[in-house]
Amino acid sequence: SYELTQPSSVSVSPGQTARIICSGDVLAKKYARWFQQKPGQAPVLVNYKDSERPSGIPERFSGSSSGTTVTLTISGAQVEDEADYYCYSATDNNLGVFGGGTKLTVL
Amino acid sequence: EVQLVESGGGLVQPGGSLRLSCAASGFTFSNFAMSWVRQAPGKGLEWVSAISDSGTITYYGDSVKGRFTISRDNSKSTLYLQVNSLSAEDTAVYYCVKEPADYWGQGTLVTVSS
C-alpha cells in the first residue's frame, strides 16, 4: 500500500529517549525522510535515506530502518524538540507520501 | 543562502483558479527537482506535485491530478503551480520544496470560500 502509518502522539520527559515509528509497505523498497515542524513554521528535514542526518541537525536525532518500518530516535530529548514529526517516502512511480504526523511532547 | 519565496495565494471562490509562484535563489535552480507540498489548517502534510530539474517530467498526487499543473522557468529560477477547479478541500498553505527536501519556503495560503 502507499500509506505510511505513525502514532498520533508520543510523550517523554526531558533527557529520555523518544522513538517515533513509521510503517508502510513502500518502506521495504524506498528510503524514508523525517521532518520536524514547529507551530507556525515550515517543516525541517532532520533525517534522510533512512539514517542520514543533514548538516546542522543535532546528533541526538538518528534514524533506522527494518523491513517495512522506519524509526526516528531522539536520544536525550530536549524541550525544544517538542514538535510534530512526519515521515515521508516515495512510491515506485515517484509519487510522494507522508505519514499522518506524530505530536511529540517533552515535559 | 538558499531562499524559496512563494507568492500568488489568496482567497478564491469555489471553481476558481490561481497561479502560485516560487522564486528561488542561492543555488543553481536548473540542477534540482522541485516539489509542492500543502498543509490544510490544523492537518498534516500532503505531497502535491513534483517536477524534474529540466521540467520534462512531472508527477501529481491523486487528489490534484487533472486540476493542477506544475511547471518551471529555469531562466527565471521560478517554480509554478497552476491550480484550477478549486474546492474547499484545497484550502491549505502551499509550500515550495527544493529536492531532496532540504529547503522549504515559508508557504503561501490558498483559501477557497464563497
Side-chain angles (χ1 to χ4, degrees), chain A residues 33 35 37 40-43 45 86 88 93-100, chain B residues 37 39 43-47 59-60 62 95 99-102 104-106:
Chain A
R33 300 172 186 170
F35 298 93
Q37 187 181 33
Q41 298 183 17
L45 181 69
Y86 296 90
Y88 167 92
N93 48 356
N94 294 310
L95 304 183
V97 58
F98 283 96
Chain B
V37 173
Q39 186 170 35
K43 303 297 184 182
L45 301 173
E46 180 186 8
W47 181 85
Y59 307 96
Y60 298 94
D62 288 343
Y95 292 104
E99 291 301 333
D102 50 354
W104 293 57
Q106 283 304 304

Side-chain angles (χ1 to χ4, degrees), chain A residues 67-84:
Chain A
T68 59
T69 298
V70 293
T71 302
L72 178 69
T73 300
I74 308 172
S75 303
Q78 306 295 309
V79 173
E80 59 263 32
D81 299 331
E82 194 164 283
D84 293 326

Side-chain angles (χ1 to χ4, degrees), chain A residues 20-25 27-28 32 34 50 64-71:
Chain A
I20 303 173
I21 298 172
C22 173
S23 60
D25 292 343
L27 298 175
W34 286 96
D50 292 346
S64 61
S65 174
S66 178
T68 59
T69 298
V70 293
T71 302

Side-chain angles (χ1 to χ4, degrees), chain B residues 21-88:
Chain B
S21 299
C22 171
S25 61
F27 66 101
T28 304
F29 183 72
S30 58
N31 286 355
F32 292 90
M34 299 290 294
S35 298
W36 288 96
V37 173
R38 69 182 181 182
Q39 186 170 35
K43 303 297 184 182
L45 301 173
E46 180 186 8
W47 181 85
V48 173
S49 182
I51 188 168
S52 63
D53 52 3
S54 64
T56 57
I57 304 172
T58 58
Y59 307 96
Y60 298 94
D62 288 343
S63 63
V64 307
K65 198 167 188 177
R67 299 187 300 122
F68 290 11
T69 302
I70 191 171
S71 62
R72 63 192 296 163
D73 185 336
N74 285 346
S75 68
K76 296 182 179 179
S77 296
T78 302
L79 177 71
Y80 302 101
L81 187 68
Q82 178 70 39
V83 297
N84 299 331
S85 303
L86 288 165
S87 69

